[in-house]
Amino acid sequence: MKKIAVIRGDGIGPEIVNGAIKVLDVISKKYNTPFVYTHLLMGGVAIDETGLPLPKETIDICKRSDAVLLGSVGGPKWDKLPGDKRPEAGLLGIRKALEVFANLRPAILFPQLKEASALKPEVLKGNIDIMVIRELTGGIYFGEKSRIDLPSGGQKAWDTMAYSTYEIERIARVGFETARKRTKKLTLVDKANVLETSRLWREIVLKMSADYPDVTLEVQLVDSCAMQLIKNPGQFDTILTENMFGDILSDEASMLTGSLGMLPSASLGNGTLGIYEPIHGSAPDIAGKDIANPIATIMSVAMMLRYSFNMESAAKDIEDAVSKVLDTKYRTVDIMGAGMKCVGTIEMSKLIANEIK
Ligand code: IPM
Ligand code: MG
């Protein structure tokens, strides 16, 4: 039996999570493993119902669960709230409360989606299979921030980016270990020509590379990496980077795969408890229309099975099922192409679930 905390959230969150649960239910039967879901509030819905973006009950139950399945939070309705009362504060809060410092964001281009990719085939060349490892509980997202009125008029605001040796070492270890299991190439992405935090990252990671002689370490500045991802994405295997750079680069990397709606994520800490969510947001403009792509969330569930439940073959079942459905030319509108059959969120989820035998 596995306890899964479910946070559907706002916008398209409920639709894509419902789709992912359909797939989990099939896995549950096939592998004779009961999944017990507890639905919890976080984000805008939590603000509306409790006044808080992250009620204490949500934190407590997540901590006692085996994994957290998350949709997305936020929307224009809550955009005017102060920073610490916004839906996003709930998301950052749960990441911090569960100490899931390592965010794995695989950007894989399914061969069937080559035409949906934002890049030309001659730039894509072979395969795109990049693992972005984003530090998730430190840096500028969590540093001291404030805003003051200036006597001379106007205001001044600041956000600080801070990292300790401990925080860098633990995520770097994930980076090296992950690269070791892949093609053994690790790219550290930073801004060491300007930022002191980046210089500390670089020093530590270079030093640690002595413990991983089998892994080839490269360093790239983040501006250059953003450019290289479009110019020659095939050069990347595992990317290791701090919180905000990882946020930006993973959205960029998703465009190689056809859609933001294709990228799953796993947020892991020291134990097996993890948060699994698509990298995209709540897309309020398309919410409730049954057109959102559920694949990122469904692939996140595959990551849950792999990393939290140690059910590798079930994870593979899901990934294979997605691939088979793409073979049969079914597409949600974001990855639609000529000669393809357009389906909605519910239908796409059903098709994937039905492929799991
Ligand atoms: C993501 C999202 C979040 C982030 C937002 C919604 C706070 O963009 O998971 O990438 O910036 O981490
Ligand atoms: Mg993001």
Side-chain angles (χ1 to χ4, degrees), residues 41-56 78 81-82 84-87 89:
L41 291 173
M42 193 183 90
V45 274
I47 296 172
D48 289 350
E49 288 198 25
T50 71
L52 294 170
L54 180 59
K56 186 172 173 298
W78 307 282
L81 293 169
D84 58 338
K85 306 252 164 15
R86 290 175 61 104

Side-chain angles (χ1 to χ4, degrees), residues 105 134 247 251 279:
R105 299 188 156 188
R134 167 189 180 192
D247 177 45
D251 266 33
I279 81 154

